[in-house]
Amino acid sequence: MTIRKAVIPAAGFGTRFLPATKSQPKEMLPVVDKPTIQYVVEEAVAAGLRDILMVIGKGKRAIEEHFDRNFELEAELAAKGKQALLRAVRRISELANIHFVWQKEQRGLGDAIACARDHVGDEPFAVLLGDTVMDAPAAPVTRQLLSVFARYQESVVAVEAVERSRLSRYGCIRARRVAERLYLVQDLVEKPAPAEAPSNLVIAGRYVFTPDIFRFLARIRRGRDNEVQLTDAMRLMVREQAIYAWRFEGMRYDIGNKLDFLKTNLIFGLREPELGPELRRFLRRWARPARAGAGVRG
């Protein structure tokens, strides 16, 4: 089976970024000058997936507008001779065939993925969380997962090793290593206490599923906060069929919390040819002990 479709859940309220996300989606918060969700779409496209379904909710219209044409803006840029900006703006609407479906209630990640069933049908598909940016110069993380799927024809998730103190923030796997970077999942635990975690490998916001996942999502009951947990469905799934875990090559940037969001903007800003040198000088001046607690100009 060949994978053609990607699903991007982007329906959450983004409460950790309030009040900034009161009227704008957290996925539209920029990393330098590009919305977070555009990085996610570009990763899917780079992996060869141009049929993309976004699962959105109340207050997410800005995502639809971002990936649509804006003829008035394009005309204004053309009239002013700003050709580079014009090309960048037009490119956004030409990235992929993007569809939208609404998650009518906030019922968790599992329910958001279940909303994609009619679009996906009986095909395997990729899932990319809309608030997680991956940086993998050798090959997009989603493409890495597709390579594993092509070999085994079973569901596969991206994982990374994290410090034990951070395990309670993620879904954690118990697994048996079968090859370099590749594991066979035996169980999953959602946000375990560090002492109770079965390993230091956590799910990193990228998945490839066979369509069987919908059957297991339909079987689970709502849990905490009346949500359908994807981890619960995967726990059922792993009892009946294989799920692989791939320790991906690259870096993950979790835009879902303020500190990591700020760190990511600094990292990506330092890479920009026009911004990096001056930003680096600014940070050096700011970090000098003599300037501690003082303001810095310029």
Side-chain angles (χ1 to χ4, degrees):
M1 292 184 288
T2 301
I3 295 180
R4 304 182 303 114
K5 298 178 180 179
V7 174
I8 301 179
F13 284 129
T15 53
R16 282 181 287 184
F17 278 92
L18 286 171
T21 51
K22 180 177 180 291
S23 60
Q24 80 166 332
K26 68 174 180 179
E27 296 85 2
M28 287 298 294
L29 294 175
V31 175
V32 186
D33 59 355
K34 188 189 300 183
T36 298
I37 199 162
Q38 186 174 331
Y39 287 94
V40 180
V41 170
E42 289 173 346
E43 179 188 335
V45 172
L49 307 177
R50 295 181 57 84
D51 186 338
I52 298 173
L53 178 73
M54 291 193 187
V55 184
I56 60 175
K58 184 176 175 58
K60 302 284 185 167
R61 286 287 187 188
I63 297 177
E64 291 186 90
E65 293 178 1
H66 180 71
F67 290 101
D68 197 5
R69 293 285 298 273
N70 186 328
F71 294 101
E72 293 81 2
L73 175 60
E74 291 178 18
E76 181 75 10
L77 294 174
K80 293 183 177 180
K82 297 183 177 181
Q83 294 302 315
L85 283 175
L86 177 59
R87 287 191 297 271
V89 167
R90 282 181 174 168
R91 175 179 171 271
I92 295 170
S93 61
E94 298 168 353
L95 280 170
N97 297 318
I98 300 178
H99 317 269
F100 296 89
V101 65
W102 287 75
Q103 183 184 24
K104 296 179 176 60
E105 297 181 52
Q106 292 290 320
R107 294 179 178 174
L109 178 58
D111 181 71
I113 292 174
C115 291
R117 183 166 194 168
D118 288 343
H119 184 81
V120 169
D122 294 326
E123 299 181 38
F125 62 102
V127 174
L128 301 84
L129 298 194
D131 60 359
T132 301
V133 173
M134 296 295 201
D135 184 23
V141 172
T142 299
R143 184 184 294 170
Q144 295 176 38
L145 297 186
L146 295 181
S147 296
V148 176
F149 178 84
R151 179 175 180 182
Y152 294 96
Q153 296 291 299
E154 301 282 5
S155 297
V156 54
V157 300
V159 296
E160 68 171 337
V162 303
E163 299 168 354
R164 289 243 163 214
S165 60
R166 299 172 57 205
L167 290 174
S168 60
R169 296 167 53 181
Y170 305 103
C172 183
I173 68 168
R174 179 168 64 85
R176 175 173 61 84
R177 181 176 174 179
V178 295
E180 185 178 3
R181 295 188 174 273
L182 186 66
Y183 302 81
L184 186 62
V185 178
Q186 297 169 318
D187 199 3
L188 304 96
V189 182
E190 182 68 17
K191 298 181 179 179
E196 299 171 358
S199 74
N200 69 334
L201 294 174
V202 302
I203 299 174
R206 298 292 185 268
Y207 313 75
V208 168
F209 287 120
T210 65
D212 295 315
I213 188 64
F214 297 120
R215 176 164 54 89
F216 295 103
L217 284 168
R219 285 170 51 184
I220 62 175
R221 296 180 178 179
R222 298 183 193 179
R224 186 177 59 185
D225 298 327
N226 203 33
E227 293 186 346
V228 177
Q229 295 292 340
L230 177 61
T231 303
D232 292 341
M234 292 173 66
R235 291 192 75 187
L236 290 179
M237 192 177 194
V238 80
R239 296 171 189 169
E240 298 183 20
Q241 56 188 254
I243 298 178
Y244 287 92
W246 174 254
R247 187 165 56 83
F248 67 91
E249 298 180 76
M251 290 290 296
R252 178 179 62 86
Y253 298 98
D254 183 359
I255 314 300
N257 68 83
K258 296 174 187 177
L259 181 58
D260 285 348
F261 173 74
L262 293 173
K263 288 179 180 178
T264 302
N265 266 281
L266 286 175
I267 292 168
F268 279 63
L270 289 169
R271 296 176 182 173
E272 291 287 323
E274 295 182 1
L275 302 176
E278 182 57 34
L279 179 59
R280 188 171 285 105
R281 285 192 290 270
F282 171 81
L283 291 172
R284 286 171 179 166
R285 291 197 301 271
W286 180 261
R288 290 174 187 167
R291 308 289 299 204
V296 177
R297 295 182 179 178

